[in-house]
Amino acid sequence: MTDRIVVIGAGQAGASLVAKLHELGFEGPLTLIGNEPMPPYQRPPLSKKFLLGEMEEARLYLRRSDFYAERNIDLRTDTVVGSIDRAAREVVLASGERLVYDKLALTTGAAPKRLPAAIGGDLGGIYTLRSIADVDAMRREFQPGRRLLVIGGGYIGLEAAAVAAMQGLEVTLIEMADRILQRVAAPPTSDYFRALHTANGVAIRENTGLKRLDGENGRVMAAELSTGERLALDFVVVGIGITPNTQLAADSGLASANGIEVDAQGRSVSDPDIYAAGDCAVFPFHGEPTRLESVQNAVDQAEAVAAAMLGSDALYDPVPWFWSDQYKCKLQIVGLGRGYARTIIRPGTKEGSQSVWYLAGSGRIKAVDAMNDPRAYMAAKRWLEARQSPTADQIADTSIDLLKLAPAG
Ligand code: FAD
């Protein structure tokens, strides 16, 4: 129990990891290093209430300010790790300082993809959305009447579009694929959110890519679309996905093609004393290398790593869940729909509520998207956690209360 543990990356996973180590009784030296200036914080509100101006920065922080010191956790903010010296078992800070470790965890998260400078991506007025600093930089642009182009119809682009529309901006969202949310959801869910945004005045343009952004005096002012159309605009939010922060791992020789490769306990496949969790980690899930980008995964995988570091042999085998807020709609997702054979749309009991059930070829459920339908979400979560499934007929029969039918939670 006197090992020295260092955790690189003070975000959702890093904060959960050190808290869990403490909870499990770890008493050795514990250091959490983060390159942002503030203590670990939650990111989901960045594209929701925080961007809307309805939430103070301090409420984003995951723990009270004295939480870390009270537990002898050496939290170092504003501190960049430059490299890992695996032979010496040392973490080398950008300042040159070296920290010895017995066990090391990488919870370095991910970075938003940016547009290439060759198509105008380096002009002023173009923003990505990952950090408090990103929101601080773009907030003053959110003024009624201004023209926003959102590039990318994933959750972050859609949430930013919703916030802007709610504040009276003129919003166009372009999506290169033939439908928004194509990477993560089935067509009925895309249809639901397209209709919701359209009803709120957002122009959703699918099958539409960006050719280039044009500027004046270094600032973006127009977009040329793949359709040949030219769009005048005031600023741009880019939501085209993220790249896991694997540079440190790769530079120190850890396998990290599309994320740091770990086993089902979060241990690097290349070094038994190095672990990874959260957005930066790829782990075996249902037989496939998988990288999840969610709070559930960051917290649960980090907690599994904490347990594994202290000798547990439990495996991380989650039922993933996720949520998104757009206008008055709360979307809750449980399970992972990839490889589904078909979907069933089940209307909810309230207006605008609906759930989309993803079924495998065997007829078992794989995932559910519940829009303003927490009962459908709860029911599906119970089935998935119990590794059981309702039948397709039961799902389709709206006279059945699925939550009553589901295994007890
Ligand atoms: P992060 O929280 O990104 O933390 C990684 C930290 O490591 C960062 O602070 C980074 O700067 C730091 N770091 C990286 N390299 C170094 C280095 N060399 N030295 C020191 N520090 C370093 N998930 C949901 O489930 N529901 C949602 O509604 C939702 N909404 C989201 C909205 C937004 C705008 C964003 C950006 C994400 C959202 N997510 C949501 C995803 C969720 O927030 C992430 O999956 C989660 O934060 C991942 O946690 P993490 O600890 O792996 O990474």
Side-chain angles (χ1 to χ4, degrees), residues 8-15 33-36 41-48 79-82 107-110 129-131 156 159 242 245 248 277-280 292-296 298 321-325:
I8 306 175
Q12 188 89 52
I33 307 170
N35 58 8
E36 294 185 75
Y41 59 91
Q42 45 167 337
R43 295 182 196 277
L46 297 182
S47 50
K48 308 177 181 78
T79 303
V80 180
V81 173
T107 50
T108 47
L129 184 38
R130 179 77 191 176
S131 64
I156 288 185
E159 288 183 352
I242 58 177
N245 288 327
L248 266 183
D279 282 10
C280 69
L292 298 176
E293 299 168 1
S294 69
V295 167
Q296 171 278 319
W321 53 264
F322 184 83
W323 78 97
S324 171
D325 298 329

